[in-house]
Amino acid sequence: MSMPVAPVDDTLGKTFAGKYRVEQMIGEGGMGKVYRATQLALEKPVVLKVLRQALLGDERTVARFQREAKAASRLNHPNSISVLDFGQADDGALFIAMEYVQGKDLHQILSREWPLPEPRVMRIMSQVLSALADAHSVGVVHRDLKPENIMVSQGRSEPDFVKVLDFGIAKIIDGSEDDGPALTRAGFVCGTPEYMSPEQARGAKLDHRSDLYAVGVILYQLCSGMLPFDSETPVGFATKHLTEIPPLPTKRRPDARVSPAMERLIMKALSKNPDDRPQTAEQFRAELLAIDKERRAAVGRRSGATSASSLAPAPPRKVTPLDQQETKVSGPPPGMSSPWSERDDTVKHVPGAARSATGQHGGAAARATRTAHDGTGAVAFKVATGILVALALLLGGALAMKFLGGVGDEVPSVTPHDDGAPLGPVPMKREDAARQRLWEQLTARTERRPTDADKALTVGDAELAGRRLAQAARAFEEAWRRDPRGEVALRLGEVARLEGRTDDMRSWFDAARRLELSPEASAYVEGCLKAARP
């Protein structure tokens, strides 16, 4: 039995336009073949895309091939493939010469190297979005973005350098030039079904937000290792993009490590309505990079958590018989008028901040207040107890004052609207504001709701990413009421900065500096405050 003989490709070894010698076929598509060639004058490798001979008589296909060359030639971005030449060989074959990129396409990386760390996903896709932003700015929509059209090369100083390829069905939407008749018939769909936006699947008119939907699909695939939908047919994929809400990546692939912020951004990009997606590639890229920035800040907070010893609970100690009893403490801290004078609290109800701040002195005072024995010396013991309690409260108040603000400084105080919602920080004199804040901090310490604060932060982050600043401010203010901490003050300061409220920005950032921040966040705050100085 004879083996079938592969047909000989007579293009191999051929020289196009006297300039490019074809060396090897590296790909094939519906419109033609792709070859690695050598530019003879410079002995430089290039890529030649050659239109099939059988299609030369199809005016529509020839026009689309020429439009690809025109669209790609408009692009001048480091992350977009560069078109070097366009012409026709002696036998009439049309070709496009492009730069040669040595590396792997994103489909190969996904197949061989998944799972990919989220920072690497961000590094790759931020470059893709940068290339799209450039293309969209000159009126070019890609319309066939997929992992196979994203090349990734590795350099010594620049890992994962991206080139976006194949604007073969790109649409030029700039109406300032006469690009001739439309090259797609009404209702005609072109693209790859797995990555099609709903409007593309309908055959509707497209704009740049269709490319951003494809970016969302690719992000979903990179993070979960799976496409948002499964189907056996192209029509099935298109139908699901039109009618079904994709499951969360972590639902589809529970073992995938996807951060909540990344998951929210992916689902936003996969919105059926283009108005609900990121509206530009620049905005999409900014939201993607903000996730990485927040991730690095969180790592910094975790690594610096051990330095916040003044806020950490006291180490566990051995419980003694003296600890089993309670002695009541009445009266407010020295120099403060507070509700403490109106209620009868025990030592166990003293807020945790005061207990941790007083440290060993507070522990000694608390232990000294226990009723250790009856009989002789009881009066002297009670006198000593009173002195130690006063000393402990003075030390606790001094440390808490130091935590809340330095001598002569101003501290933020939330001033409510008529309906009770806070407007933001208002500078106050230290003596009044610090006492007010000290009391709020100490009494609220055991009543805080960090889980509710985290939920409000998540809502606020989503609103801030969409540049809905008023809604973001309300969510962050709610988080501040639930748990006033540095990262909340940081966000409120950022909203104030974006709204141009410089005084409020200074107040919130100053509050953030006094609370626990990562080194990166602290550097950002210092930079903003320095830039805002008159």
Side-chain angles (χ1 to χ4, degrees):
M1 180 178 177
S2 60
M3 297 293 292
V5 179
V8 177
D9 189 341
D10 58 5
T11 304
L12 295 176
K14 183 177 179 179
T15 299
F16 278 74
K19 295 187 274 186
Y20 308 105
R21 184 178 65 245
V22 176
E23 309 286 356
Q24 177 187 5
M25 190 180 81
I26 57 178
E28 185 173 7
M31 292 179 65
K33 296 183 179 181
V34 181
Y35 299 92
R36 182 174 62 81
T38 299
Q39 186 179 22
L40 298 176
L42 300 177
E43 296 186 355
K44 177 182 177 181
V46 296
V47 171
L48 285 185
K49 179 176 279 191
V50 182
L51 185 65
R52 294 181 185 276
Q53 286 280 351
L55 297 177
L56 289 174
D58 184 342
E59 292 182 4
R60 185 180 295 273
T61 303
V62 170
R64 184 177 295 157
F65 192 76
Q66 292 172 334
R67 176 169 282 193
E68 174 183 357
K70 182 177 180 181
S73 68
R74 288 188 174 197
L75 307 180
N76 183 25
H77 190 276
N79 298 120
S80 295
I81 198 75
S82 296
V83 170
L84 306 175
D85 197 3
F86 172 74
Q88 194 165 17
D90 295 338
D91 60 358
L94 291 171
F95 70 89
I96 301 173
M98 297 175 285
E99 66 173 312
Y100 176 76
V101 179
Q102 189 166 8
K104 293 181 285 188
D105 67 48
L106 197 52
H107 176 75
Q108 294 172 312
I109 292 174
L110 185 62
S111 302
R112 300 170 187 174
E113 302 178 32
W114 195 90
L116 305 179
E118 198 166 279
R120 188 182 184 194
V121 172
M122 295 176 185
R123 182 166 64 245
I124 291 172
M125 295 309 295
S126 67
Q127 295 177 72
V128 172
L129 286 163
S130 186
L132 288 176
D134 177 72
H136 296 166
S137 71
V138 293
V140 175
V141 180
H142 192 291
R143 299 205 297 175
D144 194 24
L145 193 67
K146 54 188 175 183
E148 291 87 342
N149 285 338
I150 299 170
M151 286 293 296
V152 181
S153 61
Q154 304 298 330
R156 237 181 284 178
S157 60
E158 197 163 16
D160 294 326
F161 184 72
V162 167
K163 287 283 187 179
V164 178
L165 315 177
D166 198 0
F167 284 79
I169 59 170
K171 178 174 176 123
I172 301 175
I173 59 174
D174 182 0
S176 61
E177 297 179 19
D178 182 10
D179 291 320
L183 298 184
T184 55
R185 298 178 296 279
F188 179 79
V189 177
C190 52
T192 304
E194 291 91 328
Y195 302 90
M196 277 185 183
S197 66
E199 58 270 27
Q200 190 172 5
R202 282 195 303 269
K205 184 177 180 180
L206 303 182
D207 62 19
H208 58 277
R209 293 173 296 182
S210 181
D211 285 346
L212 303 187
Y213 184 93
V215 172
V217 177
I218 295 170
L219 274 173
Y220 191 112
Q221 191 175 13
L222 291 176
C223 290
S224 70
M226 305 176 75
L227 287 164
F229 304 112
D230 282 333
S231 179
E232 298 295 328
T233 65
V235 173
F237 277 112
T239 301
K240 291 189 175 187
H241 280 297
L242 274 168
T243 61
E244 294 186 15
I245 302 298
L248 293 171
T250 50
K251 294 291 185 184
R252 189 145 169 72
R253 189 70 173 265
D255 61 329
R257 302 183 64 180
V258 188
S259 69
M262 175 66 85
E263 197 163 53
R264 287 193 299 272
L265 181 56
I266 290 171
M267 299 307 290
K268 180 180 178 181
L270 294 180
S271 298
K272 304 298 182 191
N273 186 346
D275 292 338
D276 295 331
R277 301 171 201 157
Q279 293 301 287
T280 65
E282 294 97 329
Q283 180 191 337
F284 201 154
R285 183 172 184 270
E287 294 183 33
L288 192 65
L289 294 177
I291 295 172
D292 189 47
K293 182 178 177 182
E294 180 62 24
R295 179 192 61 81
R296 287 186 279 108
V299 171
R301 285 196 297 272
R302 285 195 296 271
S303 64
T306 55
S307 65
S309 58
S310 63
L311 295 180
R317 58 182 176 80
K318 184 178 179 180
V319 177
T320 70
L322 290 178
D323 296 323
Q324 308 305 316
Q325 304 179 52
E326 296 175 355
T327 299
K328 293 184 177 182
V329 179
S330 61
M336 286 188 65
S337 174
S338 77
W340 276 359
S341 59
E342 301 172 7
R343 70 183 192 186
D344 196 18
D345 283 337
T346 64
V347 170
K348 71 176 182 179
H349 291 147
V350 175
R355 288 200 301 273
S356 62
T358 56
Q360 293 179 349
H361 295 288
R367 287 191 294 274
T369 61
R370 305 295 189 260
T371 306
H373 54 80
D374 295 323
T376 307
V379 174
F381 180 79
K382 289 182 179 181
V383 171
T385 294
I387 293 172
L388 287 172
V389 168
L391 177 60
L393 291 172
L394 280 169
L395 286 170
L399 286 173
M401 283 288 191
K402 183 177 181 181
F403 166 73
L404 290 169
V407 176
D409 290 332
E410 294 178 339
V411 298
S413 175
V414 177
T415 301
H417 289 288
D418 294 338
D419 60 2
L423 281 168
V426 177
M428 298 175 63
K429 293 295 184 181
R430 172 196 170 276
E431 293 180 358
D432 297 329
R435 290 185 182 190
Q436 172 192 337
R437 179 58 63 202
L438 172 62
W439 169 244
E440 291 174 358
Q441 294 276 357
L442 293 181
T443 57
R445 182 73 64 177
T446 56
E447 299 174 4
R448 286 182 176 178
R449 299 181 184 175
T451 301
D452 292 345
D454 290 341
K455 291 178 181 177
L457 276 180
T458 299
V459 172
D461 287 341
E463 299 291 359
L464 184 60
R467 305 287 289 189
R468 295 179 289 274
L469 301 182
Q471 295 91 321
R474 283 197 293 272
F476 293 147
E477 286 167 355
E478 175 65 17
W480 178 261
R481 285 196 295 271
R482 297 298 186 186
D483 193 12
R485 57 184 188 250
E487 61 179 326
V488 184
L490 180 67
R491 285 167 168 82
L492 283 161
E494 180 66 8
V495 171
R497 183 186 71 80
L498 293 172
E499 291 183 334
R501 296 183 285 110
T502 305
D503 289 342
D504 286 350
M505 179 200 75
R506 288 195 187 100
S507 296
W508 279 119
F509 278 170
D510 188 58
R513 283 193 305 182
R514 298 173 188 280
L515 301 168
E516 183 184 351
L517 285 179
S518 68
E520 294 88 347
S522 297
Y524 177 74
V525 165
E526 293 297 335
C528 290
L529 290 173
K530 183 177 180 181
R533 287 178 191 143

